[in-house]
């Protein structure tokens, strides 16, 4: 029979009739297509290359979408998308109006559960299995595919514990590639490494009520198919299949990379060379990293905590200079926050560096273990606002609101990279209680960095321009767009005042009330959702009776909906937070006719 080509697979059902040789050939073609697609779009490469054979075997054995195949996080799901009718659109990955970089229910029936944050798959698979057994939807087998790195997250253990108690038919595939985003941490990584090296053993998973199968070679598609076929017909209890894979498998440039090609920009397939940034301006993350590392030279109590993101959050540089004071706790944001709280209680000055979107996972700990106890944990919140290709799941939209409503919290946002330097120093010096500072993804605006950081006065903003009629009060990095809007407004003979709030909590009451008193209108601008900085300003104005004096107040925030992936500029245009939108808001508020 002729060797199959990938373009003959329009649906997973087309895989089921292939011979063993054809499955091997299909795996090779799927790997090549994945590499080619990601070279065009950028994205998460290494994780998908590590599960090529597993993906083929899963769809050769199970009957999706009736059988629920749930990919944890979704970094590794690009090959799955290619095999489930989305190959024609695979080069739209992470682009505006294109395919999501993660699994997404609205995108395909073959994505039964949306993902993008770690350790949700086992809970979801167990939920589907319970719905099946309760007579819900027509559901067959329930399969969760979770990486060894995600097993450092507490939610995975919660789900394993519950699954062992319920004892339902469920398959958990542990994709053990010895890598997370960075190298894995924690005692379980050592346990997994020992499995297979001893003949008589009781695994951790068996003590939780799972049957354990493995380790299974993860790049032998035929052996994987055989094991999965046996499990599909032969088990009425939860089973964990331990599959050993190699992240970046089959693409030498990914295999040699320190992160195994976890996240890449567009690249040349032949050389592996990635497209380089066109700017020499340092990123906000690198400015934070450099400043914190420098401050720690003289302050031996400064330490850094991250949750499996040493490179992404910039603390890898800190770790190289101060290894004893840097802690990577794995994908475990809840633990990271409480661990930081106890470090603070123990006399240290911890910086808990977590992306805004991931800090949501530790919010209960932020409230009870940090805020309630008034402990001086410093939260370095990266990826504030809209982040581009990762889309809605990674947007830093809600942290202003969920931190600024906590008693005793100080919440700052950097208008530019120079301000970020000062805010790192301010946080380091603040021992009175919890403090957070947020900053966006990507390069700064090109300002020279201060030689010596300045500790800011808590709760004090600054004026940037003095004008008349309307005041624009910015919180965070949108101030660049605010200033561009002011330039647009010159054509209308409008010269707005511009202020940088710096703080959402505590507010600079004096600055805000003076702006309200001296202008017809006050407009706040922020890179956050409804309920954040603008809401706090409105509360102040209402309490002070300012609205009774006829002030016009407007708040420009992210819209009350999720915004899908696109470039950051496209996303902010959709959010109506560009210079043009800010200028238009001023024109409308002042009742001025627009120029033709």
């Amino acid at each position: 029979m002729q060797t199959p080509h990938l373009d003959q697979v329009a649906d997973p059902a087309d895989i089921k009739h292939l011979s063993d040789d054809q499955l091997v050939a299909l795996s090779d073609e799927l790997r090549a297509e994945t590499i080619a697609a990601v070279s065009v779009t950028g994205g998460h490469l290494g994780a998908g290359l590590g599960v090529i054979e597993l993906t083929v075997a899963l769809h050769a054995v199970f009957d999706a979408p009736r059988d629920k195949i749930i990919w944890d996080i979704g970094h590794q799901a690009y090959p799955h998308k290619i095999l489930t009718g989305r190959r024609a659109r695979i080069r739209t990955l992470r682009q505006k109006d294109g395919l999501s970089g993660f699994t997404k229910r609205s995108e395909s029936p073959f994505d039964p559960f949306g993902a993008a944050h770690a350790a949700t798959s086992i809970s979801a698979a167990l939920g589907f299995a319970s719905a099946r057994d309760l007579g819900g939807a027509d559901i067959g087998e329930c399969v969760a595919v979770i990486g060894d790195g995600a097993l450092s997250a507490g939610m995975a253990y919660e789900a394993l514990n519950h699954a062992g108690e319920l004892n339902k038919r469920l398959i958990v595939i542990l994709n053990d590639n010895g890598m997370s985003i960075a190298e894995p941490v924690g005692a379980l990584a050592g346990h997994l490494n020992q499995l297979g090296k001893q003949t008589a053993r009781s695994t951790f998973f068996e003590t939780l009520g799972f049957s354990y199968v493995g380790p299974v070679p993860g790049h032998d598609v035929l052996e994987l198919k055989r094991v999965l076929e046996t499990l599909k017909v032969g088990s009425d209890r939860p089973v964990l299949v331990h599959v050993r894979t190699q992240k970046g498998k089959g693409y030498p440039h990914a295999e040699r990379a320190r992160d195994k090609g976890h996240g890449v920009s567009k690249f040349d397939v032949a050389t592996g060379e990635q497209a380089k940034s066109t700017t020499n301006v340092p990123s906000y993350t690198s400015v934070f990293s450099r400043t914190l590392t420098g401050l720690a030279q003289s302050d031996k109590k400064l330490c850094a905590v991250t949750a499996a993101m040493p490179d992404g959050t910039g603390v890898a540089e800190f770790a190289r200079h101060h290894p004893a004071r840097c802690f990577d706790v794995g994908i475990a944001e809840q633990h990271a926050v409480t661990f930081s709280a106890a470090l603070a209680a123990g006399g240290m000055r911890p910086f808990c560096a977590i992306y805004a979107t991931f800090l949501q996972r530790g919010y209960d700990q932020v409230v009870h273990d940090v805020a309630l106890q008034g402990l001086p944990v410093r939260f370095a919140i990266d990826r504030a606002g809209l982040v581009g290709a990762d889309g809605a799941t990674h947007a830093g939209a809600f942290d202003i609101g969920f931190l600024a409503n906590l008693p005793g919290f100080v919440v700052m946002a950097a208008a530019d990279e120079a301000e970020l330097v000062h805010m790192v120093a301010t946080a380091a010096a603040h021992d009175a209680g919890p403090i957070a500072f947020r900053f966006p993804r990507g390069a700064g605006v090109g300002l020279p960095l201060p030689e010596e950081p300045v500790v800011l006065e808590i709760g004090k903003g600054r004026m940037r321009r003095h004008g008349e009629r309307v005041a624009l009060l910015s919180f965070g990095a949108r101030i660049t767009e605010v200033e561009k809007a002011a330039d647009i407004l010159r054509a209308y003979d409008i010269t707005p005042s511009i202020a940088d709030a710096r703080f959402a909590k505590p507010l600079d009451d004096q600055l805000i009330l003076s702006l309200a008193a001296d202008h017809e209108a006050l407009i706040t601008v922020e890179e956050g959702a409804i309920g954040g900085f603008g809401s706090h300003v409105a509360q102040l104005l209402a309490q002070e009776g300012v609205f009774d004096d006829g002030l016009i107040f407007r708040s420009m925030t992210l819209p009350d909906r999720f915004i899908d992936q696109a470039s950051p500029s496209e996303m902010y245009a959709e959010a109506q937070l560009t210079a043009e939108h800010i200028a238009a808001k001023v024109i409308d508020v002042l009742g001025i006719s627009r120029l033709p």
Side-chain angles (χ1 to χ4, degrees), residues 505-556:
K505 182 77 173 287
L507 290 174
D508 188 339
D509 293 4
Q510 182 179 355
L511 172 65
I512 295 168
L513 293 175
S514 66
L515 290 174
D518 296 341
H519 298 83
E520 299 172 36
L522 173 61
I523 301 173
T524 62
V525 183
E526 63 190 294
E527 297 170 311
I530 298 167
F533 171 69
S535 295
H536 283 257
V537 172
Q539 175 80 0
L540 170 68
L541 296 174
Q543 286 182 327
E544 296 295 324
V546 175
F547 295 126
D548 297 339
D549 298 327
L551 176 75
I552 301 172
F553 174 76
R554 298 289 186 272
S555 178
M556 298 186 72

Side-chain angles (χ1 to χ4, degrees), residues 281-296:
V281 177
S283 69
Y284 282 95
T285 303
S286 68
V287 171
F288 158 68
S289 173
R290 190 182 316 162
T291 306
L292 181 64
T293 301
L295 290 172

Side-chain angles (χ1 to χ4, degrees), residues 47-48 51 55 71 74-82 86 90 101-103 111:
V51 296
T55 304
W71 300 91
H75 289 152
Q76 73 281 56
Y78 299 179
H80 159 79
K81 294 195 177 201
I82 292 171
R86 287 170 276 182
I90 199 64
F102 307 96
T103 54
D111 291 357

Side-chain angles (χ1 to χ4, degrees), residues 32-272:
E33 177 71 351
T34 301
I35 294 169
V38 180
S39 75
V40 173
T41 65
H44 297 100
L45 178 64
L49 297 183
V51 296
I52 294 291
E53 289 80 9
L54 177 59
T55 304
V56 172
L58 282 167
H59 283 299
V61 172
F62 294 102
D63 300 312
R66 181 175 181 271
D67 290 340
K68 306 303 179 185
I69 301 172
I70 301 165
W71 300 91
D72 203 88
I73 306 178
H75 289 152
Q76 73 281 56
Y78 299 179
H80 159 79
K81 294 195 177 201
I82 292 171
L83 294 181
T84 53
R86 287 170 276 182
R87 185 189 178 196
R89 301 185 64 213
I90 199 64
R91 285 162 179 77
T92 70
L93 269 170
R94 296 158 50 88
Q95 313 298 308
K96 182 175 174 58
D97 300 322
L99 296 178
S100 171
F102 307 96
T103 54
K104 189 173 183 180
R105 279 173 54 84
S106 61
E107 186 177 290
S108 170
F110 292 99
D111 291 357
F113 203 79
H117 289 190
T120 62
S121 60
I122 304 175
S123 296
L126 183 59
F128 276 116
S130 297
R132 173 196 64 203
D133 295 349
L134 289 170
D138 181 21
I139 297 171
E141 303 300 324
C142 299
V143 183
V145 184
I146 186 169
D148 55 314
L151 281 185
S152 63
M155 187 174 177
Y157 296 100
E158 295 170 18
L160 288 169
N161 178 62
H162 190 204
E165 178 192 18
L166 293 182
N167 199 35
K168 291 185 178 296
R169 191 172 79 252
L170 171 74
I171 298 173
V172 174
I173 297 177
L174 172 57
N175 172 32
D176 180 8
N177 59 24
M179 280 290 291
S180 179
I181 299 170
E183 292 185 3
V185 297
L188 186 64
H191 177 67
L192 295 177
N193 191 47
Q194 291 301 312
L195 294 180
K197 295 181 180 180
Q198 50 202 37
T199 54
R201 67 203 185 276
S202 175
T203 72
F204 166 78
F205 307 104
E206 287 169 318
T207 64
L208 292 177
F210 278 73
S211 296
Y212 172 84
V213 177
V216 179
H219 299 295
D220 185 337
V221 66
L222 303 183
E223 177 65 8
L224 286 167
K225 181 172 177 282
R226 183 192 66 78
V227 170
L228 294 176
E229 286 175 334
T230 301
L231 293 176
K232 184 177 180 180
V233 299
S235 179
D236 287 322
R237 58 178 300 196
V239 179
L240 185 132
V241 186
H242 184 185
V243 177
R244 287 252 170 88
T245 62
Q246 179 184 351
K247 193 172 184 177
K249 173 71 173 177
Y251 186 54
H253 301 293
E255 291 178 359
R256 290 193 294 266
R258 187 164 64 90
D259 67 351
K260 306 303 179 185
H262 174 76
V264 298
S265 56
K266 299 176 184 180
F267 63 92
D268 181 273
V269 174
T271 66

Side-chain angles (χ1 to χ4, degrees), residues 334-380:
Q334 292 172 296
H335 168 59
V337 173
T338 302
F339 178 69
S340 297
L343 281 172
M348 299 301 290
R349 295 191 173 100
F351 278 75
C352 188
I354 300 179
Y355 288 4
T357 182
F358 297 137
L359 186 59
Q360 296 162 186
R361 296 164 65 90
Y363 185 57
D364 182 68
Q365 288 67 35
V366 172
V367 175
H368 286 270
D369 299 337
V370 176
L372 186 62
Q373 301 188 91
L375 290 169
V377 176
R378 290 90 175 154
F379 289 94

